[in-house]
Amino acid sequence: MEHNDITRLFPKDNTSIKSAYSTRRVPREAMMTLRSDSVPRSGDLVLARVDTVVQHTCLAPIDGRRSQLFRGDLIIIVYGNRYAPDQYEAMVPDHLGPCHLAASGGIAAQVVHRYGKTGNPTAITPLGLIADRNRQVLNLADWTLPRGVYHANSPLTIVIAGTAMNAGKTTTAAYLIKGLVRAGLKVGAAKVTGTGSGRDTWLMRDAGATRVLDFLDAGVPSTYLQPHDKVERIASQLIHELGHHGMDAIVLEIADGLFQQETSQLMRSHSFLANIDGVLFAASDAMGGAAGVEWLRQHHAPVIGVSGLLTLSPLAVRETHAATGLPVLTLAQLESAEIAQTIKHLIPLSPALKAG
């Protein structure tokens, strides 16, 4: 298959080969040939065959409708690393041999560790790296947002960070977006770090964000093991792109917990912190909330409140407020239009709200 024109594999209805969310910026017309003579790199597109369907039974496609996987399916996905304490740690292999579908968003990698309650990964066989008509391998870095000089406004920018993978960060972000939209603000949103998946960004759109971006728009399938300065550039690029499109407020989600290496470095970065107005910290319990707030304060991050799964428990809310002295915001409070005034008082000089 190495020298075949890949377009011959697509029938007119384009349904026999499934393209994952991770490939969303790469046009199919650019996919012309296959190569089996190169070592994969993070961001390289690959045509793969599904061998066994285990943990990930569906592929998250570009259009948002989850697509059931069957043995023998052909899928277009992207090589990338993955860091997910509740699922897998996975790395880009140094070969084009059999590996795994490490994330439903379309990440090809070799799983090296898995969470004890997580099943074995879905197994795939790469059939070749996808290349253009000149046999140049296609990489996400070839299709990114413009990197010109931005002359943007300075919207209110709130970061959602948390204790761990499932602390309630995305839900917190979505409900905050809804509240700010109800307050009459034009809201942009971005997933700054993590592994390519449309679930979080689609939820942000559903909440009313005018424009939603993620690190795929900056040319990487995953921020795990990316150099620190590159992760900083990705964050800056996403913030400035949203500001350039006239947002009044920006909500940023940072993946995983504060001890994850890219998250930790970013939340301690002076250049990143200079671009934001406040941090809402999501936690599943009072102890995690108090410890996270203390960590953020030690590193001079402007933490303004706590939310997340702990808000399901009135006792945990009370404990967290007593331990931190910060407001603990429930989903009902976040989605209310009054959240804009709440943030105004927490951040008196917020550019988007100070005239309100």
Side-chain angles (χ1 to χ4, degrees):
M1 294 181 66
E2 180 181 337
H3 298 289
N4 286 352
D5 183 342
I6 196 172
T7 59
R8 293 171 55 193
L9 300 175
F10 296 155
K12 290 182 180 179
D13 60 8
N14 270 358
T15 58
S16 70
I17 299 180
K18 300 171 181 178
S19 293
Y21 173 82
S22 58
T23 71
R24 64 182 173 80
R25 290 190 65 91
V26 184
R28 272 206 171 178
E29 56 267 25
M31 306 176 191
M32 299 297 293
T33 57
L34 292 176
R35 290 187 59 172
S36 58
D37 59 348
S38 297
V39 174
R41 304 166 299 157
S42 178
D44 283 348
L45 272 68
V46 59
L47 178 68
R49 182 187 67 236
V50 177
D51 295 331
T52 60
V53 180
V54 193
Q55 175 65 23
H56 290 111
T57 60
C58 294
L59 190 72
I62 296 170
D63 63 7
R65 176 188 172 278
R66 294 180 71 78
S67 178
Q68 180 68 42
L69 290 175
F70 296 90
R71 184 171 58 86
D73 279 354
L74 297 182
I75 56 177
I76 298 174
I77 56 180
V78 177
Y79 278 103
N81 302 310
R82 188 178 188 197
Y83 177 100
D86 288 2
Q87 280 205 9
Y88 301 126
E89 182 183 19
M91 310 290 187
V92 176
D94 61 359
H95 57 78
L96 279 174
C99 59
H100 304 113
L101 179 65
S104 63
I107 301 296
Q110 191 74 44
V111 170
V112 294
H113 295 109
R114 68 182 175 91
Y115 179 61
K117 294 184 179 180
T118 300
N120 289 324
T122 291
I124 60 174
T125 295
L127 303 178
L129 297 177
I130 299 174
D132 62 18
R133 64 175 65 253
N134 298 316
R135 305 190 70 245
Q136 294 295 312
V137 175
L138 304 182
N139 190 283
L140 294 187
D142 300 326
W143 282 272
T144 65
L145 294 167
R147 297 181 181 179
V149 176
Y150 292 102
H151 299 284
N153 63 333
S154 298
L156 169 72
T157 302
I158 301 298
V159 168
I160 312 298
T163 54
M165 182 176 172
N166 293 313
K169 296 185 298 296
T170 304
T171 302
T172 297
Y175 277 73
L176 175 60
I177 290 166
K178 176 57 72 176
L180 294 173
V181 169
R182 284 176 170 158
L185 300 180
K186 184 178 180 181
V187 183
K191 181 79 177 285
V192 177
T193 64
T195 301
S197 171
R199 183 178 301 172
D200 296 346
T201 54
W202 291 321
L203 181 57
M204 292 173 178
R205 290 189 183 97
D206 290 344
T210 301
R211 184 168 170 79
V212 181
L213 305 172
D214 65 14
F215 43 85
L216 292 170
D217 295 295
V220 298
S222 162
T223 52
Y224 183 38
L225 300 181
Q226 294 287 345
H228 171 53
D229 59 344
K230 186 170 185 178
V231 176
E232 279 191 337
R233 288 197 301 272
I234 289 170
S236 178
Q237 187 176 13
L238 298 179
I239 291 170
H240 288 125
E241 174 71 13
L242 291 170
H244 184 67
H245 282 79
M247 303 301 160
D248 300 312
I250 294 173
V251 176
L252 305 175
E253 181 186 349
I254 308 297
D256 301 304
L258 294 177
F259 291 159
Q260 198 276 344
Q261 60 189 35
E262 286 80 30
T263 296
S264 178
Q265 290 173 334
L266 191 61
M267 294 304 296
R268 289 182 286 131
S269 163
H270 295 299
S271 62
F272 176 68
L273 295 177
N275 280 324
I276 69 172
D277 294 294
V279 178
L280 279 178
F281 190 72
S284 58
D285 57 51
M287 180 66 76
V293 168
E294 178 61 23
W295 189 97
L296 291 167
R297 285 170 168 165
Q298 287 178 357
H299 294 93
H300 310 291
V303 57
I304 61 172
V306 182
S307 191
L309 284 177
L310 68 83
T311 62
L312 296 175
S313 167
L315 289 177
V317 169
R318 192 168 70 205
E319 291 175 351
T320 304
H321 175 66
T324 65
L326 291 174
V328 182
L329 301 170
T330 65
L331 297 185
Q333 290 171 312
L334 289 171
E335 71 171 339
S336 168
E338 283 70 37
I339 192 62
Q341 285 299 317
T342 298
I343 292 177
K344 178 180 179 180
H345 292 303
L346 292 169
I347 312 172
L349 298 180
S350 297
L353 299 177
K354 62 183 180 182

